[in-house]
Amino acid sequence: MTAELVRGQNHPLSQVRLEVRVSAGKPIVAGATLSDEQGRVRGVEWVAHPGAPTLPGLEVSRQAAADHRLAFDLGALSAAVHRVSVLLALPSGVGGPVRFGAVAAPFVAVTGLDGSEVASYTVTGLDAESAVIALELYRRKDAWKVRAVGQGYAGGLAELLADQGLPEARQLAGTINEAVAQGLARSVAAPPSRTPDADRSRQAAASATAGDQPYAAPPQGAPGDVSPPQSPYDVSGAQGGTAAQTNFPAGPAQGDPSATTQPSAGVSGGPVDYSHPGRQNTPPPPPPAAPPTQPGQSATPVAGDATGWSMDERLYNQVWGMFEDLARSAAAYRSAVDFADSRMEQELDKVLSDPRSRIGGQGDAAREAAQAKHAQLVDQARAALDRDLAQLGAEADVVEPALPAAFARWDNPVWHGYRVPMEVPMALRLGDLRLPESERLSIPMLVRLPLERGLWIDSGRAGLSDSFADSDELRRLAMDAAVSHAGRLLAVHPPGEFSVHVIDAAGSGASSLAPLVRSGVLNGPPAVGATGVAEVLARLTQRVDLVQMAVRGGVADSLPADLDTAEQLLIVNDFPHGFDDRAVTQLRYLADEGPAVGVHLMMVADREDAEAYGPLLDPLWRSLLRLTPVPDDHLADPWVGHAWTYEPGLVPPHSQILQQVLTQVAAARRSWNR
């Protein structure tokens, strides 16, 4: 169990290789200081910050962001280090909030390398402070402990560092703020080149002066993870949980003309490598070879053009490759545009700084030259992006029709030939993702099965445009999305291996739940009222307890004969209506402990409706993957941090496909139960 600390409380650490994950509602700076036995920072070399993110045994984020992952290897620290302080600060001079009282309370969690939380702390009670020491990791004899500190400083980083005994506190604070403000750590550099035998290769469209230009894409897996691929789409933020973060090489320095090499190379016909720098080749057999192309032609896309033991696995890995290709192409474009903007500003500043060139023809000519160079660089970057988008669009056109039902949209013809499967697929589609630069190109959002965390369908209006001002309509759409996801989960599981329970305390979701109720796929009628809520939660909580005890005791075959061993999904509509304090505690327990023993949670709720519970429910919201019933750009990949627009996978209007599929599922379940 995670230790939820309060200010001043400590907790022992059983391991020395840890991560500290930070979640805030706005971009903040995260860093760390090393202190000796007297609590004194001996010099600037004992401070890790965006301008100098790496110290022995310690690495912090290179940029200001709403979410951070700080890596610690306490065993690699110098013997002179007795304390490591995790500091947070609001960036200055960038037009954002200037005090923590104006933003959501930061959440800090100490986790193992596997992501399991050891201790967490919500930094509350801040007001005028702009910098805070959130946690400290400290030696106690031969062991390490973590303490929740929450000490804020209205004077910002300068006051914080000075309080730790650093003589150069003000100068270092200025260096950190300047690095953040100027974006010295935010440029995304081109990835290192890969060997020609990469797992997944394509041919880039040729320019007018060159022939085929191959580029490699990553074979499979989540960014930064060489274990079986997991979803990269869930990102911690004001609403959700945490996500992996990949550190890229430092980008080009401001004003470095060589920084234009990567964008312009794609236009002039040079090879552009979009492979993930952290990937490792996997043993599955290579994909079928694509048909040879003639000089001057781009490669013909092929469905299943990725590694894998089965076609479904190849398609899954191919979709991941498309996602990562699009992310990297957009990152290269944005980095090139940022460099062009910075270069033009520097050239214009140089013109204006010389009184002789401020007026007259010489100044006008210099300004026109700077603007022309800027336009040339942006056009080159856009041409490279358009080339990549065209290739990805062609690939999407052949991949989408070839997807199996678990990966396909509801309007895919594969659903009209649906048959109840005999095995669980490796992943499930929850919707689509796209970027502002690629409005016409959507990438399927696939998550691995079984689900490792619950889902939250946000029925609130926070962050949405005024066109969705009708809260009742938004709640109906949220429930429609939940039913669509539940129907898909039922459809991709073999008979008897997935059960769905529904809590609809107020009965407000009756119309949306009709397909599930009419088809008979639910374990029972939706629970209504406080009594129904208590009965369902008690039954599922007891199941989690029994399975946990059986697994821990090594007697899984001794479970009661009447226990349903299928995966369980609980849909909760209109939370917290009908929930008392006991029910809320049980719900949190199911969200935390349920996924490990096959009990999953899908909540349809507006967070504002539960404001009365205050920070008590913050861990619940963070444990769930937040989705929306309408398109919204709240999701970000953990690779380069793009804000992706999520489009829910709803059933087309007036379509009967969901009802037809659920009818087959219900019939298969009846046959299986005989």
Side-chain angles (χ1 to χ4, degrees), residues 441-619:
L441 176 63
S442 295
I443 306 296
M445 176 178 171
L446 304 180
V447 295
R448 291 297 296 267
L449 292 178
L451 297 173
E452 295 187 351
R453 56 191 302 202
L455 304 177
W456 167 29
I457 317 298
D458 191 354
S459 60
R461 292 178 294 175
L464 300 179
S465 62
D466 294 337
S467 59
F468 302 103
D470 189 344
S471 59
D472 292 336
E473 176 67 10
L474 201 58
R475 292 176 187 271
R476 183 191 65 79
L477 289 174
M479 197 59 196
D480 288 347
V483 171
S484 174
H485 297 320
R488 186 182 289 269
L489 283 164
L490 284 163
V492 302
H493 281 81
E497 293 193 17
F498 198 83
S499 299
V500 177
H501 311 262
V502 177
I503 290 178
D504 187 19
S508 58
S511 60
S512 297
L513 290 168
L516 297 176
V517 175
R518 285 199 302 261
S519 60
V521 295
L522 296 179
N523 266 31
V528 296
T531 302
V533 171
E535 290 177 353
V536 172
L537 292 177
R539 186 167 63 251
L540 291 178
T541 300
Q542 182 185 38
R543 183 192 184 281
V544 171
D545 290 339
L546 288 174
V547 176
Q548 278 188 339
M549 288 188 293
V551 172
R552 291 170 181 171
V555 290
D557 54 348
S558 300
L559 288 169
D562 60 346
L563 182 73
D564 185 3
T565 57
E567 296 277 316
Q568 310 286 314
L569 175 68
L570 173 61
I571 303 176
V572 178
N573 182 37
D574 207 16
F575 175 83
H577 186 86
F579 281 71
D580 56 17
D581 291 344
R582 176 180 174 82
V584 170
T585 301
Q586 290 176 316
L587 191 70
R588 286 188 55 187
Y589 177 72
L590 292 178
D592 292 339
E593 305 294 335
V597 292
V599 178
H600 310 284
L601 181 62
M602 183 186 297
M603 287 184 56
V604 181
D606 180 358
R607 189 169 183 173
E608 293 183 357
D609 292 343
E611 281 185 335
Y613 289 94
L616 175 67
L617 291 182
D618 285 350

Side-chain angles (χ1 to χ4, degrees), residues 333-544:
Y333 170 72
R334 295 179 184 181
S335 181
V337 172
D338 288 344
F339 170 74
D341 292 342
S342 175
R343 177 169 178 164
M344 183 177 68
E345 290 177 2
Q346 290 179 0
E347 292 180 352
L348 292 178
D349 288 343
K350 184 178 180 180
V351 172
L352 295 175
S353 64
D354 188 352
R356 295 171 298 177
S357 59
R358 290 178 187 173
I359 57 175
Q362 183 180 358
D364 293 340
R367 280 188 286 270
E368 291 176 0
Q371 293 167 354
K373 184 60 176 178
H374 175 272
Q376 179 186 3
L377 294 175
V378 172
D379 290 346
Q380 288 176 344
R382 186 70 214 190
L385 177 65
D386 290 343
R387 179 206 62 202
D388 295 334
L389 292 180
Q391 180 71 8
L392 286 170
E395 186 172 11
D397 290 341
V398 299
V399 169
E400 189 69 45
L403 295 176
F407 301 174
R409 288 194 293 254
W410 284 111
D411 58 359
N412 192 310
V414 70
W415 285 107
H416 294 281
Y418 169 77
R419 294 293 182 269
V420 179
M422 290 290 94
E423 60 181 16
V424 180
M426 65 184 302
L428 184 80
R429 186 172 188 160
L430 292 181
D432 294 273
L433 296 169
R434 56 183 171 82
L435 289 174
E437 292 87 352
S438 60
E439 292 290 337
R440 290 175 292 180
L441 176 63
S442 295
I443 306 296
M445 176 178 171
L446 304 180
V447 295
R448 291 297 296 267
L449 292 178
L451 297 173
E452 295 187 351
R453 56 191 302 202
L455 304 177
W456 167 29
I457 317 298
D458 191 354
S459 60
R461 292 178 294 175
L464 300 179
S465 62
D466 294 337
S467 59
F468 302 103
D470 189 344
S471 59
D472 292 336
E473 176 67 10
L474 201 58
R475 292 176 187 271
R476 183 191 65 79
L477 289 174
M479 197 59 196
D480 288 347
V483 171
S484 174
H485 297 320
R488 186 182 289 269
L489 283 164
L490 284 163
V492 302
H493 281 81
E497 293 193 17
F498 198 83
S499 299
V500 177
H501 311 262
V502 177
I503 290 178
D504 187 19
S508 58
S511 60
S512 297
L513 290 168
L516 297 176
V517 175
R518 285 199 302 261
S519 60
V521 295
L522 296 179
N523 266 31
V528 296
T531 302
V533 171
E535 290 177 353
V536 172
L537 292 177
R539 186 167 63 251
L540 291 178
T541 300
Q542 182 185 38
R543 183 192 184 281
V544 171

Side-chain angles (χ1 to χ4, degrees), residues 306-328:
T307 57
W309 295 107
S310 65
M311 178 55 74
D312 285 4
E313 185 177 358
R314 288 180 175 181
L315 288 169
Y316 174 83
N317 292 335
Q318 187 170 13
V319 169
W320 270 100
M322 294 166 59
F323 168 81
E324 294 178 347
D325 285 351
L326 180 56
R328 189 167 287 276

